[in-house]
Amino acid sequence: MNLGNLKFVDIAISQSVAIVLVNFVTYFQICLIANGMITVVPILWLTLIQIVFACLCTYIFTYVYHRTYKKRNIAMV
């Protein structure tokens, strides 16, 4: 696991990319279900809100993790 080694920016970028890709696929599915193109504005707002929430959670949980588990030098054999 790289959770303890990754920085906040690395985790936030990977979460943001995942959110954008999932919302793109979801929008495509909604268009197929609606049998036509629908407006993209609500899904863009949803994506923005999800990214802000993910960054906030990432910051909080990274802070808690680093406060709970101090960095240690270990040798893996």
Side-chain angles (χ1 to χ4, degrees):
M1 295 285 294
N2 273 339
L3 181 63
N5 297 331
L6 293 177
K7 303 291 184 204
F8 166 74
V9 176
D10 299 331
I11 299 171
I13 289 174
S14 66
Q15 287 289 321
S16 298
V17 169
I19 288 170
V20 168
L21 291 175
V22 167
N23 284 352
F24 175 75
V25 171
T26 304
Y27 174 72
F28 181 68
Q29 290 175 340
I30 291 171
C31 287
L32 288 175
I33 292 170
N35 200 19
M37 297 298 290
I38 60 169
T39 181
V40 73
V41 175
I43 200 89
L44 289 177
W45 278 110
L46 176 68
T47 302
L48 181 66
I49 292 169
Q50 286 177 334
I51 289 173
V52 169
F53 185 73
C55 288
L56 180 66
C57 286
T58 300
Y59 179 76
I60 291 169
F61 295 139
T62 302
Y63 176 77
V64 168
Y65 178 83
H66 286 295
R67 295 282 292 175
T68 305
Y69 301 104
K70 301 295 183 194
K71 291 183 179 179
R72 296 183 186 142
N73 292 327
I74 60 172
M76 293 190 67
V77 179

